[in-house]
Amino acid sequence: MTDFETREAAWIALNQMHVRVHRNIERALQDAGMPRLDWYDVLWALECAPEGLRPYQMQEALLFEQSGFSRLAMRLENEGLIIRRKDKTDGRGLVLHITDQGKALRGKIWPVYRQAIDQEMRHASEQKDCLTALLNHPRK
Amino acid sequence: MTDFETREAAWIALNQMHVRVHRNIERALQDAGMPRLDWYDVLWALECAPEGLRPYQMQEALLFEQSGFSRLAMRLENEGLIIRRKDKTDGRGLVLHITDQGKALRGKIWPVYRQAIDQEMRHASEQKDCLTALLNHPRK
DNA sequence: CACATATAGATGCATTTGCATCTATATTGC
DNA sequence: GCAATATAGATGCAAATGCATCTATATGTG
């Protein structure tokens, strides 16, 4: 197997694994009446940062697109889960903070999410062969 | 590290790797004036199946949602890249075939796609630690 | 200070998604 | 053969995405 073939196989495996796991986790959350995964990521990041976070920081950390995140933050604020304050030291920007309601929701999501991760990743690891090949492959 | 923590770390790594690689590959294709990745997958699957394929088969193989694939197939037909024929043995269904134009386009996409896979997966393998942990973890 | 450029975030628009539902044909059990 | 159920695929609708663009503030240079 050439280096390229190894990488290609890993790319295919990466996609399949991701689609399957992601879809199943999203469905588990939804079946439990919970919001989507990206909501969780934002809430958790903010709960870990009591001083708040700037949108552009979260975009980088969580790999969101700028416009997508802008609207996501708006939705979360509309639901009362976060607050967007003007940044005092940078008039262009905002600082996001989680609300008590946001914390409460995150706490409710976690057990469901945790259980789904555990279950789906266990299945996923059963199809690991292609990725293993990549990961064990010596890199030039 | 507990089993769960290992799986959680792998889930996070899986997501990050997937978003980064997927986004970069899509951009490489787009910058080269090529269509989106899902088009390629369909064209390639059909090129490998001269007798054609039923939509429901492709949905399973490529992990598409039913409605999403239905519309994707329509777009591809509108572009002249595939043909949807009625299945003679099953009045409910279709058989999809690739056209010469479809084959030509797939052939044009491949070098760009190949190059992008090679480059992005090489980078990706540099951040493999969390996934490695999962994959090397003995499974109960 | 004034002007050019860079950065943070919002928004309009076209496209795509996901879900639920709909139609048509197949299959199963009586 | 006929009713009940299952399966293939299409479609309406609300929501989400990506892209380009817009506004406002910051920063850097003369």
Side-chain angles (χ1 to χ4, degrees), chain A residues 30 54-56 66-67 70-71 74 84 92-94:
Chain A
Q30 186 168 317
R54 296 288 299 268
Y56 76 89
Q66 186 270 317
S67 66
S70 174
R71 287 191 254 241
M74 236 185 297
R84 298 186 300 173
R92 297 168 299 182
L94 306 173

Side-chain angles (χ1 to χ4, degrees), chain A residues 49-95:
Chain A
E51 64 307 346
L53 286 172
R54 296 288 299 268
Y56 76 89
Q57 294 178 305
M58 304 200 60
Q59 288 157 32
E60 280 179 35
L62 301 178
L63 301 176
F64 284 111
E65 297 266 344
Q66 186 270 317
S67 66
F69 184 78
S70 174
R71 287 191 254 241
L72 174 55
M74 236 185 297
R75 277 173 245 145
L76 291 171
E77 187 172 52
N78 290 340
E79 298 290 331
L81 302 169
I82 70 172
I83 298 181
R84 298 186 300 173
R85 297 212 182 92
K86 279 201 177 117
D87 186 331
K88 280 151 194 156
T89 74
D90 183 346
R92 297 168 299 182
L94 306 173
V95 188

Side-chain angles (χ1 to χ4, degrees), chain A residues 109-139:
Chain A
I109 300 173
W110 177 236
V112 180
Y113 185 18
R114 181 190 159 104
Q115 149 72 19
I117 292 171
D118 199 43
Q119 178 172 328
E120 295 304 325
M121 289 304 290
R122 187 203 325 263
H123 290 331
S125 72
E126 288 163 11
Q127 305 176 309
K128 66 193 169 78
D129 295 348
C130 290
L131 271 174
T132 304
L134 171 74
L135 301 172
N136 293 337
H137 205 68
R139 210 163 70 242

Side-chain angles (χ1 to χ4, degrees), chain B residues 103-118:
Chain B
K103 286 179 196 168
L105 178 61
R106 195 208 62 77
K108 258 184 41 184
I109 300 173
W110 177 235
V112 180
Y113 186 18
R114 180 190 159 104
Q115 148 73 18
I117 292 171
D118 199 44

Side-chain angles (χ1 to χ4, degrees), chain B:
Chain B
M1 223 187 197
T2 64
D3 275 12
F4 170 72
E5 285 165 349
T6 305
R7 292 191 189 117
E8 186 190 18
W11 162 235
I12 293 169
L14 176 64
N15 272 314
Q16 290 186 345
M17 200 183 274
H18 181 265
V19 176
R20 280 203 339 98
V21 174
H22 190 267
R23 200 177 279 174
N24 289 341
I25 290 181
E26 286 282 20
R27 289 207 176 125
L29 286 172
Q30 187 167 316
D31 289 351
M34 299 296 167
R36 304 184 48 187
L37 254 180
D38 49 4
W39 287 34
Y40 185 88
D41 293 335
V42 174
L43 294 177
W44 177 241
L46 289 179
E47 196 163 341
C48 294
E51 65 307 348
L53 286 171
R54 297 287 299 267
Y56 75 90
Q57 294 178 303
M58 305 201 59
Q59 288 155 33
E60 278 178 35
L62 301 179
L63 301 175
F64 284 111
E65 297 265 345
Q66 186 269 318
S67 66
F69 184 78
S70 174
R71 287 191 254 240
L72 174 55
M74 237 185 296
R75 279 173 243 145
L76 290 171
E77 187 172 53
N78 289 340
E79 299 291 331
L81 302 169
I82 70 172
I83 298 181
R84 298 185 301 172
R85 297 212 183 92
K86 280 202 177 119
D87 186 331
K88 279 151 194 157
T89 73
D90 184 347
R92 297 167 301 182
L94 306 173
V95 188
L96 308 183
H97 298 270
I98 193 168
T99 63
D100 288 346
Q101 207 184 329
K103 286 179 196 168
L105 178 61
R106 195 208 62 77
K108 258 184 41 184
I109 300 173
W110 177 235
V112 180
Y113 186 18
R114 180 190 159 104
Q115 148 73 18
I117 292 171
D118 199 44
Q119 177 171 328
E120 295 305 324
M121 289 304 291
R122 188 205 321 266
H123 291 331
S125 72
E126 289 164 9
Q127 306 176 310
K128 66 194 171 74
D129 295 349
C130 289
L131 271 175
T132 305
L134 170 75
L135 301 172
N136 293 336
H137 204 69
R139 213 162 69 241
K140 190 153 63 247

